[in-house]
Amino acid sequence: MAEVTTSSMHDARDAEDTRLLEAGEHGLLLDGYAGVILDRCRLKLRGSDAAEDVAQEVALRLVAELKRGRRYRVPFRVVVHNVIDWKVKEHFQSLRFEAELDDWLLGVSTESDAPLEADAGFEALLDGLTGLEQTVLRMRYDEDLDFGAIASRLGKEPNAVHQIHFRALAKLRRAAA
């Protein structure tokens, strides 16, 4: 029986990926990586509940790139693994920034019984955000709601609220830099 090498498996996968890319079969291409994306996110996030959210962010980014007609100089499997690494890194950066924001907000709320909306520092943080981003942050930090509760009140999916929250924190992080 012939031994299958990793190299020949990669060559076959790369050839199939190239065929699917050229045929515009993006759904089939991504379906072939769905398990890999989720498994790798679970591994990198050590089974965290956020693994599915991060895996979805990976898939959304890949879909957006493919819809824009993006072409790659490396095999698509390499792109998939790079995007997973980037999204996992963003997740950990977001957690670190969210913890800093929590500490800041706790400091604000302990100094005064006034709601956060009345605090000029909090308002200054929100200035560069859209109305929806501001609403999500207020509900998250002023009302201490989780993503599911916020989604229910806004008539959105929890993952959509998580993404809005993530983008808002990224904007705040850029503004603070």
Side-chain angles (χ1 to χ4, degrees):
M1 186 160 121
E3 186 176 315
V4 177
T5 66
T6 302
S7 178
S8 64
M9 287 187 335
H10 286 308
D11 291 345
R13 180 70 188 245
D14 294 345
E16 178 63 7
D17 290 350
T18 300
R19 185 189 72 73
L20 291 170
L21 278 168
E22 289 173 357
E25 296 286 345
H26 302 148
L28 288 175
L29 178 65
L30 291 173
D31 283 348
Y33 282 96
V36 172
I37 292 169
L38 185 56
D39 289 345
R40 186 130 185 240
C41 288
R42 284 180 176 151
L43 178 68
K44 288 186 161 285
L45 295 169
R46 293 175 173 68
S48 163
D49 292 339
E52 290 180 14
D53 290 337
V54 173
Q56 185 171 13
E57 289 176 25
V58 169
L60 289 172
R61 175 164 176 177
L62 291 169
V63 165
E65 287 185 0
L66 291 170
K67 281 184 177 180
R68 287 193 313 265
R70 176 95 190 258
R71 295 290 174 215
Y72 307 100
R73 291 184 237 183
V74 296
F76 189 71
R77 65 184 159 77
V78 174
V79 172
V80 169
H81 289 283
N82 284 339
V83 172
I84 291 168
D85 290 343
W86 296 331
K87 288 298 180 182
V88 167
K89 183 179 177 184
E90 285 178 10
H91 170 75
F92 284 118
Q93 288 173 339
S94 175
L95 289 179
R96 199 168 28 254
F97 184 77
E98 190 173 334
E100 292 170 7
L101 186 59
D102 280 342
D103 290 345
W104 183 83
L105 291 172
L106 285 174
V108 169
S109 62
T110 58
E111 293 173 13
S112 165
D113 291 329
L116 289 174
E117 289 92 347
D119 182 77
F122 187 71
E123 285 303 314
L125 279 176
L126 300 181
D127 278 346
L129 303 178
T130 67
L132 183 58
E133 290 167 338
Q134 290 180 19
T135 299
V136 167
L137 287 184
R138 282 190 177 100
M139 293 172 94
R140 177 86 170 134
Y141 296 106
D142 194 23
E143 299 178 39
D144 198 29
L145 298 176
D146 63 22
F147 294 124
I150 295 169
S152 177
R153 285 183 47 186
L154 295 177
K156 297 193 173 292
E157 293 294 320
N159 190 55
V161 171
H162 183 269
Q163 289 175 1
I164 293 164
H165 178 262
F166 181 84
R167 281 192 301 269
L169 291 180
K171 284 181 183 179
L172 292 175
R173 198 178 310 114
R174 283 191 301 271

